[in-house]
Amino acid sequence: MIATGIGWDVHRLVPGRPLILGGVRVESELGLEGHSDADVLAHAVIDALLGAIGAGDVGEHFPDTDPQWKDADSLELLRHVDALIAERGYHVVNVDATVILERPKLGEHKQAMRERLAAALDLDPGRVNVKATRGEGLGFLGRVEGAAALAVATVEAPGAAA
Ligand code: MG
């Protein structure tokens, strides 16, 4: 059986926080606010994967009230999800994600992001695609008030025909 999941996340951009996307530290005056490292891209990927295996959402697994996840490296959370996927007998087929950030431009970081996300999932980087786009000056994304990410993940249950 092939199953698909969708993920969406948004975090506020604030001064004095690092901007970490897909596990990559991006040089920026503003960073993302959150209980963990606020890696909006990793969180969207996590939700897509949890959705694909029917396992709820990131907030259920890593509650922002739990001190264990304070300033957590979101790639560590992704590795937890990868272990859960394996435990339940699924294999990740591919992940596709889009980050929406007005600035800075992410083009030069996309490859590193896909490599870091793929490594956390023990996948070939060719199975993890990262795209970047802007808010074009519109709404909270365009006003540089926040960043958003969306992701789709496809998984396969072992031994089952697609
Ligand atoms: Mg989040």
Side-chain angles (χ1 to χ4, degrees):
M1 184 191 78
I2 290 280
T4 302
I6 187 170
W8 157 262
D9 195 26
V10 62
H11 280 266
R12 188 182 292 272
L13 281 163
V14 294
R17 287 272 300 183
L19 178 61
I20 297 170
L21 294 168
V24 175
R25 173 87 183 251
V26 176
E27 207 50 54
S28 167
E29 283 173 21
L30 303 175
L32 294 170
E33 185 175 59
H35 182 69
S36 67
D37 64 3
D39 186 334
V40 70
L41 172 57
H43 294 179
V45 169
I46 286 171
D47 260 355
L49 289 164
L50 289 172
I53 65 167
D57 64 31
V58 65
E60 280 172 45
H61 291 267
F62 312 105
D64 62 10
T65 50
D66 188 337
Q68 187 184 350
W69 310 119
K70 175 96 178 84
D71 297 321
D73 173 355
S74 294
L75 291 191
E76 190 55 40
L77 311 188
L78 187 56
R79 283 188 279 270
H80 277 271
V81 171
D82 188 47
L84 183 66
I85 291 166
E87 205 175 283
R88 297 201 177 183
Y90 288 92
H91 291 281
V92 179
V93 176
N94 81 302
V95 173
D96 184 29
T98 300
V99 188
I100 307 135
L101 178 73
E102 196 68 9
R103 59 175 181 261
K105 287 196 168 157
L106 299 175
E108 64 181 290
H109 301 289
K110 286 189 294 186
Q111 183 61 28
M113 290 175 195
R114 72 191 294 182
E115 283 171 10
R116 296 220 62 188
L117 292 167
L121 292 166
D122 266 321
L123 289 177
D124 185 293
R127 289 175 182 256
V128 179
N129 193 63
V130 173
K131 307 183 299 296
T133 189
R134 298 171 51 232
E136 303 298 339
L138 297 168
F140 73 93
L141 294 165
R143 290 191 299 267
V144 204
E145 293 169 4
L150 56 159
V152 174
T154 303
V155 299
E156 184 174 19

